[in-house]
Amino acid sequence: TPESLILQKEYENFLKFISEEKVSDSITSLQKHHLFCTPRFFNQNQIIWPLDTLPVGYIKDVPVYPRQNLKTLYTKDKWMAKGKQVKAGEEPVKQNPKKGIPYWVKCKKARSDSASISEI
């Protein structure tokens, strides 16, 4: 039909326009960019996949990657909540550092240590 041909041509023009777009000159413009991303603005649970992906460019020595290679990682619990199962023997791609001891735990520990010192 003529409508589908028009939509197809528009889509082809759109893909051509996107493929010709160049990497911006400023790092902050990549924060919400629809085609490119930089590790500086990744969330804690995001990674470039596959790991051997080469950057499409650099801005001030910061690598710039295609946004289509940015993947969100999930914990085992998140996969279970989505109704999926982690394969046996699978290793995590990325491990985030453990967070520090919460303030109230430190205070509680300090109070229990001072109580035991005063008893001696």
Side-chain angles (χ1 to χ4, degrees), residues 10-11 17 20 45 68 82 86 101 104 113 117:
E10 283 184 11
Y11 184 69
F17 172 75
E20 292 174 352
N45 63 336
Q68 67 187 17
K82 287 179 169 260
V86 178
I101 300 171
W104 61 88
D113 289 345
I117 291 173

Side-chain angles (χ1 to χ4, degrees), residues 17-18 20-38 41 56 59 64-68 70:
F17 172 75
I18 287 179
E20 292 174 352
E21 191 165 340
K22 296 182 180 179
V23 178
S24 176
D25 291 340
S26 70
I27 296 173
T28 54
S29 66
L30 294 175
Q31 191 167 5
K32 302 280 185 188
H33 199 278
H34 62 284
L35 291 178
F36 304 111
C37 61
T38 183
F41 301 116
V56 293
I59 298 177
V64 178
Y65 295 97
R67 190 164 287 276
Q68 67 187 17
L70 182 65

Side-chain angles (χ1 to χ4, degrees), residues 4 10 16 24 38 47 55 61-63 83 87-88 98 101 112 118:
S4 63
E10 283 184 11
K16 183 180 175 186
S24 176
T38 183
I47 192 170
D61 297 329
V62 177
K87 295 178 185 175
K98 293 190 176 188
I101 300 171
S112 65
S118 63

Side-chain angles (χ1 to χ4, degrees), residues 33-87:
H33 199 278
H34 62 284
L35 291 178
F36 304 111
C37 61
T38 183
R40 180 179 288 189
F41 301 116
F42 289 177
N43 289 337
Q44 195 173 17
N45 63 336
Q46 290 179 324
I47 192 170
I48 290 292
W49 189 262
L51 295 174
D52 59 353
T53 302
L54 296 175
V56 293
Y58 291 89
I59 298 177
K60 300 177 185 172
D61 297 329
V62 177
V64 178
Y65 295 97
R67 190 164 287 276
Q68 67 187 17
N69 290 13
L70 182 65
K71 304 295 178 195
T72 301
L73 304 175
Y74 299 103
T75 62
K76 185 177 180 179
D77 295 334
K78 291 279 186 182
W79 280 117
M80 299 283 279
K82 287 179 169 260
K84 299 186 180 186
Q85 190 173 4
V86 178
K87 295 178 185 175

